[in-house]
């Protein structure tokens, strides 16, 4: 899938080997020395105007026409170089935020930690950043006692801008003036070798911003790159600091990890690097508690949900974080709710209390905006109803605005829970029945999982199939069923 600079003959590259890359094994050693760049002419690399979005080009061209240096930088250049279609475009320039703002009516200055200009074209935002120097506390820079950067607004040259970026492959510039790619940090070599490497001293760079640990894991997984040894060592050392990162920032990273089209790979990488505890602490604890078979079951359900999300992203179908977050938290919610139900609490109350508890723990790790936690609760509350409602009550669930998502959720649960399989299968089938009476007939005799949550109060029978409210096969690994059918339709 990845075409590593295949179109680029190495001899065509003007190899003014960067001083930074002297000793690959120990990583770049020079922190603030500005090396000669490698400059690769437009006809010797695969980044073309065609690959760059129309709006990004408009911004780059206008800055250039007004006498400023303007470059595409970061993920856009990196992705184009490895043969992926870039998904968003970041621009770096020597114009100040005020100068940029003056050139674009459709723009606004944002941010405190980084002052940036957003140039807005409908739903697309082109982010324009002024070249910045390293963060040495001068005017505009601020470093906390922990080594963390809290403010970073010291403007500088393009060379200085390059070395304060995180990874070498993210520090490449495509210059709109002549279409060349400019490399101050050995990024081209690392792209060529498929290596992810922090620029400068890895430990310092990780301590400055522990979120770089997550960025490395996510981007290396996306690109299929390996992480360079010293970078990896620093990441391991600094990852406990992630626990102190602002929950809102971690939530942003969670979205990037699981909604960027590489969710399954990202999840594997997060597990491999033992980072799940910082993102979903309850899920991490549960996975650690389960025996191997139950753990495999739960992981396979989660991965099915993630693969489903990846499929939707690749098909450009809409996705919502609520669906995935609901999955990550469901095992805890379900277990606790079942415990309360067994102790005699009504299902709705038990679920509501379990949901509140799970959400309040989670927002200590990653915030969850209300616009997502609301739908998550709705999806959860529909699970027992989908499992046990009969007759007209069941049919009316299909009118619920969360039905699609809740049904898909049930289907994924059924992939690992045999007891839910017939239930999910019925829901899949009943949606294909057009005749209303036939639907009602079917709903009157539908298979249910009443033995899990108990029958509906007033729903007639108090008797529980199987003689017990709890399912007999012991605590559930993750949740329920389904299938075959619906797992891909997803009402996210
Ligand atoms: P993608 O957009 O594909 O997730 P990206 O590398 O473009 O990846 P962005 O968050 O869009 O990620 O950041 C754009 C660029 O800004 C990065 O490529 C990098 O050069 C720089 N950057 C982003 N976050 C950091 C950080 N925490 N520390 C240093 N540089 C960063
Ligand atoms: Mg980007």
């Amino acid at each position: 899938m990845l075409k590593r600079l295949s179109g680029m003959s190495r001899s065509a590259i003007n190899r003014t080997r960067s001083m930074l890359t002297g000793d690959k094994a120990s990583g770049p050693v020079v922190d603030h020395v500005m090396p000669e760049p490698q400059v690769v002419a437009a006809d010797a690399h695969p980044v073309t105007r065609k690959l760059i979005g129309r709006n990004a080009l408009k911004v780059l061209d206008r800055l250039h026409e007004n006498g400023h240096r303007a470059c595409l930088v970061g993920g856009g250049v990196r992705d184009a170089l490895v043969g992926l279609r870039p998904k968003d475009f970041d621009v770096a320039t020597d114009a100040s935020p005020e100068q940029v703002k003056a050139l674009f009516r459709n723009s606004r200055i944002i941010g405190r930690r980084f002052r940036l200009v957003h140039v807005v074209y409908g739903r697309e935002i082109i982010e324009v950043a002024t070249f910045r120097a390293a963060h040495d506390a001068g005017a505009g820079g601020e470093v906390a006692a922990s080594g963390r950067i809290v403010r970073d607004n010291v403007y500088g040259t393009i060379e200085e801008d390059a070395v304060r970026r995180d990874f070498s492959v993210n520090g490449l510039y495509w210059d709109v003036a002549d279409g060349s790619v400019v490399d101050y940090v050995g990024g081209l070599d690392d792209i060529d070798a498929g290596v992810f490497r922090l620029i400068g001293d890895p430990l310092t760079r990780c301590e400055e911003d522990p979120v770089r640990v997550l960025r490395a894991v996510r981007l290396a997984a996306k690109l299929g790159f390996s992480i360079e040894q010293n970078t990896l060592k620093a990441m391991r050392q600094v990852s406990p600091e992630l626990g102190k990162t602002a929950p809102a920032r971690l939530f942003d990273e969670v979205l990037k990890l699981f909604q960027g089209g590489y969710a399954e790979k990202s999840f594997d990488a997060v597990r491999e690097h033992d980072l799940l505890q910082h993102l979903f602490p309850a899920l991490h604890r549960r996975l650690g508690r389960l025996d191997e078979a139950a753990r495999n079951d739960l992981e396979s359900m989660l991965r099915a949900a993630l693969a489903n999300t990846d499929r939707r992203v690749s098909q450009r179908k809409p996705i919502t974080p609520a669906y995935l977050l609901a999955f990550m938290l469901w095992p805890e919610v379900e277990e606790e709710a079942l415990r309360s139900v067994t102790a005699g609490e009504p299902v709705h109350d038990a679920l509501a209390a379990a949901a509140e508890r799970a959400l309040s723990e989670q927002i200590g790790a990653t915030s969850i905006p209300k616009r997502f936690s609301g739908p998550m609760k709705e999806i959860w509350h529909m699970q027992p109803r989908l499992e046990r409602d009969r007759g007209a009550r069941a049919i009316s669930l299909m009118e619920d605005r969360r039905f699609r998502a809740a049904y898909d959720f049930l289907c994924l649960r059924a992939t690992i829970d045999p007891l839910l399989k017939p239930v999910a299968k019925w829901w899949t089938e009943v949606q294909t029945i057009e005749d209303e009476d036939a639907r009602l007939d079917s709903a009157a005799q539908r298979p249910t999982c009443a033995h899990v949550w108990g029958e509906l109060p007033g729903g007639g029978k108090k008797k529980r199939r199987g003689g017990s409210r709890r399912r007999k096969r012991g605590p559930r690994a993750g949740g329920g069923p389904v299938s075959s059918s619906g797992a891909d339709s997803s009402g996210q």
Side-chain angles (χ1 to χ4, degrees):
M1 179 184 62
L2 301 181
K3 202 179 77 196
R4 262 174 223 147
L5 290 182
S6 52
M8 192 173 147
S9 93
R10 291 184 70 92
S11 59
I13 300 174
N14 170 9
R15 251 162 224 287
T16 337
R17 251 193 127 74
S18 143
M19 287 157 59
L20 283 177
T21 54
D23 172 12
K24 282 277 182 182
S26 58
V29 281
V30 192
D31 215 355
H32 293 128
V33 176
M34 302 309 159
E36 284 297 308
Q38 278 187 50
V39 180
V40 185
D43 58 0
H45 64 71
V47 190
T48 57
R49 286 181 75 93
K50 247 192 174 154
L51 276 177
I52 302 168
R54 212 161 38 108
N55 296 326
L57 284 174
K58 263 192 232 170
V59 172
L60 288 160
D61 286 337
R62 192 173 308 168
L63 285 165
H64 178 56
E65 284 154 15
N66 283 275
H68 299 294
R69 182 147 195 208
C71 300
L72 191 67
V73 65
V77 182
R78 176 198 69 216
D79 288 356
L81 283 170
V82 298
L84 294 174
R85 191 156 195 96
K87 69 168 177 46
D88 63 23
F89 300 96
D90 297 304
V91 169
T93 178
D94 60 7
S96 68
E98 290 72 21
Q99 285 172 316
V100 178
K101 177 143 184 20
L103 284 176
F104 299 93
R105 262 192 317 130
N106 50 330
S107 69
R108 53 179 187 246
I109 297 179
I110 60 134
R112 190 186 106 85
R113 185 168 181 274
F114 297 110
R115 276 181 89 228
L116 298 167
V117 181
H118 275 178
V119 187
V120 185
Y121 295 94
R123 297 178 67 172
E124 187 178 18
I125 292 176
I126 307 296
E127 215 163 79
V128 184
T130 304
F131 295 142
R132 284 193 182 80
H135 51 84
D136 303 346
E142 215 177 290
V143 182
S146 63
R148 239 172 243 245
I149 300 176
V150 279
R151 209 141 64 83
D152 195 8
N153 279 322
V154 189
Y155 301 128
T157 62
I158 183 169
E159 296 95 318
E160 289 169 323
D161 191 74
V163 295
R164 63 142 206 110
R165 288 183 179 271
D166 47 8
F167 301 96
S168 64
V169 299
N170 285 348
L172 298 167
Y173 298 77
W174 177 85
D175 193 332
V176 71
D178 58 4
S180 61
V181 168
V182 186
D183 176 11
Y184 291 92
V185 291
L188 284 169
D189 283 348
D190 283 340
I191 285 212
D192 223 6
V195 170
F196 232 76
R197 175 196 311 271
L198 276 161
I199 297 168
D201 173 59
L203 191 56
T204 312
R205 300 308 310 283
C206 260
E207 281 170 343
E208 276 172 9
D209 182 5
V211 169
R212 288 176 185 151
V213 174
L214 282 171
R215 286 179 54 80
V217 165
R218 167 171 67 87
L219 292 168
K222 163 178 163 173
L223 299 175
F225 278 24
S226 61
I227 299 175
E228 182 273 331
Q229 282 310 310
N230 291 300
T231 295
L232 200 57
K233 220 163 98 189
M235 286 164 58
R236 288 208 187 106
Q237 221 169 312
V238 172
S239 64
E241 291 295 308
L242 277 172
K244 299 181 202 151
T245 305
R249 190 143 181 245
L250 282 189
F251 180 70
D252 288 345
E253 278 306 311
V254 162
L255 292 190
K256 289 183 182 177
L257 277 161
F258 299 121
Q259 304 226 101
Y262 301 86
E264 203 180 349
K265 280 187 189 169
S266 296
F267 182 73
D268 289 345
V270 162
R271 294 277 288 146
E272 183 192 329
H273 294 276
D274 202 17
L275 299 172
L276 193 65
Q277 54 188 310
H278 305 298
L279 304 179
F280 296 103
L283 180 61
H284 169 77
R285 281 197 311 269
R286 165 170 295 263
L287 285 166
R289 252 191 339 253
L290 294 175
D291 65 32
E292 198 183 335
R295 186 167 57 242
N296 288 343
D297 267 4
L298 176 52
E299 279 191 333
S300 75
M301 183 192 75
L302 291 168
R303 303 186 69 207
L306 296 164
N308 185 33
T309 302
D310 287 343
R311 214 162 21 241
R312 290 182 64 88
V313 171
S314 74
Q315 295 165 349
R316 294 171 188 267
K317 290 187 183 165
I319 48 168
T320 162
Y323 185 75
L324 258 185
L325 292 169
F327 263 105
M328 300 292 188
L329 271 56
W330 173 248
E332 287 303 296
V333 172
E334 185 192 36
E335 186 179 83
E336 186 175 329
L338 279 173
R339 211 171 13 241
S340 306
V341 168
T342 307
E345 234 186 281
V347 172
H348 185 276
D349 297 357
L351 257 178
E356 286 312 327
R357 214 169 344 248
L359 283 166
S360 76
E361 178 182 0
Q362 181 60 30
I363 57 179
T366 72
S367 58
I368 298 186
K370 286 226 166 19
R371 67 181 183 283
F372 302 133
S373 56
M376 288 166 72
K377 290 185 215 169
E378 288 169 19
I379 291 171
W380 290 334
H381 275 292
M382 278 191 81
Q383 297 309 302
R385 302 202 56 193
L386 289 169
E387 289 181 34
R388 63 187 188 151
D389 280 12
R390 284 212 180 93
R393 299 177 76 123
I395 297 301
S396 71
L397 290 178
M398 285 156 67
E399 307 300 319
D400 192 290
R401 67 188 171 138
R402 292 292 163 222
F403 173 75
R404 193 80 222 161
Y407 156 73
D408 284 334
F409 195 91
L410 180 82
C411 285
L412 276 165
R413 291 173 56 215
T415 57
I416 62 162
D417 189 336
L419 293 172
L420 284 175
K421 277 200 164 61
V423 174
K425 186 163 172 280
W426 179 79
W427 277 109
T428 303
E429 284 164 8
V430 74
Q431 292 175 69
T432 66
I433 304 177
E434 304 222 331
D435 180 73
E436 230 174 273
D437 289 338
R439 271 189 176 192
L440 277 172
D441 282 351
S442 174
Q445 309 155 33
R446 59 160 294 195
T448 60
C449 269
H451 48 295
V452 178
W453 300 98
E455 288 285 347
L456 278 177
K461 307 169 201 127
K462 272 276 171 194
K463 180 176 91 178
R464 285 177 186 105
R465 263 184 279 158
S468 153
R469 301 177 106 141
R470 290 296 303 264
R471 51 183 59 211
K472 286 192 157 167
R473 61 192 191 84
R476 299 163 122 187
V482 172
S483 78
S484 46
S485 67
D488 192 34
S489 53
S490 184
Q492 295 196 44

